[in-house]
Amino acid sequence: MGFLDKIKAGLTRTKENISSIGHSFDQLFAGELDDDFYDELEETLILSDMGAQTAMKAAEELRRRVKSQRLKSAEEGRACLREILTEFLTVGDGALKLDSKPSVALFIGVNGVGKTTTIGKLSAYLKGEGKRVLMAAADTFRAAAADQLEIWSERCGVDIVRQHEGADPAAVVFDALSAARARGTDVVLVDTAGRLHNKQNLMSELNKISRILDRELPGADRETLLVLDATTGQNGLIQAKQFQQAAGVTGIVLTKLDGSAKGGIVIAIAQELGVPVKFIGVGEGIDDLMPFDPAEFAKAFV
C-alpha cells in the first residue's frame, strides 16, 4: 500500500467524523462555488482541526483564485484547493538532513505521543536505506522507555546504548557518540524524556545534551524532531509552539494519523510554525512511518 492509499485509509474516520457534524468535502464540491460554499468550506476546515486562522486563509485564497482564474466547476475548485493546501504544507526542507557520519536525530515530545515507537520505525527505515543506526536511550527517567527501545533495537537489528534508570541523559548521549565513532555508525537516534513541555528542568536537560553534541560532533548534521500525536488536535499545536521556542525544532513527526485524528492539524502546524512535517505515522506496522508528501496528503485530505 502506497502513501496515498495509507493516508486515505487513515483519514477515513476523520472524514466520517466531519461529515457527521458538518459538511463533507464530497458534499461541498458537489454544489456551486457561491458565498454559502465558502462559509461551509471554512466551517469544514475548522472541524478538521485546521484552526480558524488557517481555515479562513485557505477559504479566502480559494475564493481569490476561483475569481482570478475564472474557475467554474466544483471539481476545478477542489483541484485548486488541493494546490493551495499543498503550498501551505510546503515549508522548509521536508527531507531529513543526516548526511555527515555520524549524524544525530534528537527526538523530543511529551509522554505518550509515540516517540520510542517512532525511533524504532525510523531505525528500520534508515537501515533499509543502507545506513548503520545506533539508538541512544536517553530517557532515563522511565526504565520502561529504555526497555521498549531495546525491544525495537532487537526487532530492527540495530545497536543500542543505555544505562541504568536515573542516569544522566547527557552521559548516555556521550557514550552513544563514542560508540558510534568506534563502530562506524551513520546515524544516532536519541530518545529523550517526555515530561511536560513547560518544565524548565526538561529544557535544561535538552540544552545539556545539545552542548555534548556541539562539543563531540562539531559541524555534524543534526535534526531535532518533535513527535506529536495527531489525535490531540490544537493541543498538539500548543505543544509544538512551546517546544519550538525552547529546542529549535527542525521537523515534525506526526503519529496516529490512522486513528481518530483530524488531518487538518498537519496544515495548521506547517502554517503557524513554518516547520516541515517530515514523517507521518499511519499504522502500527514497522513500515507504517512514511516520509511526508504534501501534494499526496492534500489530495487524500480533500
Side-chain angles (χ1 to χ4, degrees):
M1 189 183 289
F3 181 94
L4 181 59
D5 293 330
K6 287 193 174 185
I7 287 297
K8 280 184 174 177
L11 292 178
T12 296
R13 193 183 305 176
T14 294
K15 291 185 175 182
E16 289 171 354
N17 289 345
I18 293 171
S19 182
S20 68
I21 53 179
H23 301 273
S24 72
F25 291 115
D26 287 339
Q27 289 173 321
L28 273 173
F29 287 102
E32 299 292 322
L33 300 176
D34 54 17
D35 287 342
D36 287 343
F37 164 82
Y38 291 106
D39 290 341
E40 291 165 4
L41 173 63
E42 189 176 319
E43 177 188 350
T44 303
L45 292 173
I46 291 171
L47 289 172
S48 76
D49 259 347
M50 192 181 291
Q53 183 176 340
T54 305
M56 186 183 305
K57 183 178 176 183
E60 286 303 312
E61 180 60 17
L62 179 61
R63 186 194 292 265
R64 187 190 69 78
R65 293 191 192 186
V66 165
K67 185 176 180 180
S68 66
Q69 297 174 20
R70 298 181 179 179
L71 304 180
K72 300 297 182 185
S73 73
E75 274 309 303
E76 287 177 320
R78 191 172 201 161
C80 187
L81 180 59
R82 285 170 174 162
E83 288 177 8
I84 292 166
L85 297 183
T86 299
E87 291 168 15
F88 281 14
L89 287 164
T90 307
V91 295
D93 187 352
L96 286 179
K97 183 170 172 52
L98 297 171
D99 298 323
S100 64
K101 186 174 179 176
S103 52
V104 178
L106 190 68
F107 290 79
I108 61 177
V110 300
N111 282 331
V113 294
K115 275 200 314 298
T116 308
T117 301
T118 296
I119 293 171
K121 292 178 179 180
L122 188 59
S123 294
Y125 176 86
L126 293 172
K127 187 179 178 184
E129 291 195 324
K131 292 184 180 291
R132 296 191 65 181
V133 179
L134 183 145
M135 299 176 177
D139 181 356
T140 59
F141 292 89
R142 295 185 306 123
D147 292 343
Q148 187 184 5
L149 202 64
E150 187 151 0
I151 291 170
W152 272 105
S153 76
E154 293 169 359
R155 186 177 179 186
C156 301
V158 304
D159 293 340
I160 184 171
V161 170
R162 63 177 293 183
Q163 290 190 16
H164 59 86
E165 185 177 357
D168 182 356
V172 177
V173 174
F174 178 84
D175 287 351
L177 298 182
S178 299
R181 284 191 294 259
R183 302 173 193 177
T185 297
D186 295 302
V187 184
V188 180
L189 305 182
V190 181
D191 191 13
T192 65
R195 288 170 293 167
L196 290 174
H197 45 280
N198 56 1
K199 296 290 188 181
Q200 187 58 44
N201 55 352
L202 174 57
M203 297 313 171
S204 298
E205 179 185 299
L206 291 175
N207 288 335
K208 187 176 179 182
I209 290 174
S210 184
R211 290 195 298 272
I212 293 288
L213 294 173
D214 289 340
R215 188 186 73 205
E216 297 299 315
L217 292 178
D221 289 338
R222 188 194 312 177
E223 292 273 5
T224 301
L225 300 175
L226 174 61
V227 182
L228 291 175
D229 178 346
T231 64
T232 60
Q234 292 296 305
N235 285 335
L237 183 59
I238 294 168
Q239 290 174 23
K241 287 179 177 178
Q242 294 178 323
F243 270 112
Q244 170 70 334
Q245 291 169 359
V249 177
T250 61
I252 304 289
V253 180
L254 205 62
T255 64
K256 307 181 187 178
L257 266 173
D258 56 316
S260 59
K262 298 178 181 178
I265 190 61
V266 184
I267 302 161
I269 287 169
Q271 272 295 288
E272 296 198 33
L273 269 71
V275 175
V277 176
K278 298 203 172 189
F279 277 81
I280 55 173
V282 291
E284 297 297 322
I286 196 169
D287 61 345
D288 285 335
L289 184 74
M290 309 180 73
F292 184 66
D293 184 319
E296 292 285 86
F297 183 87
K299 186 176 180 181
F301 180 66
V302 179

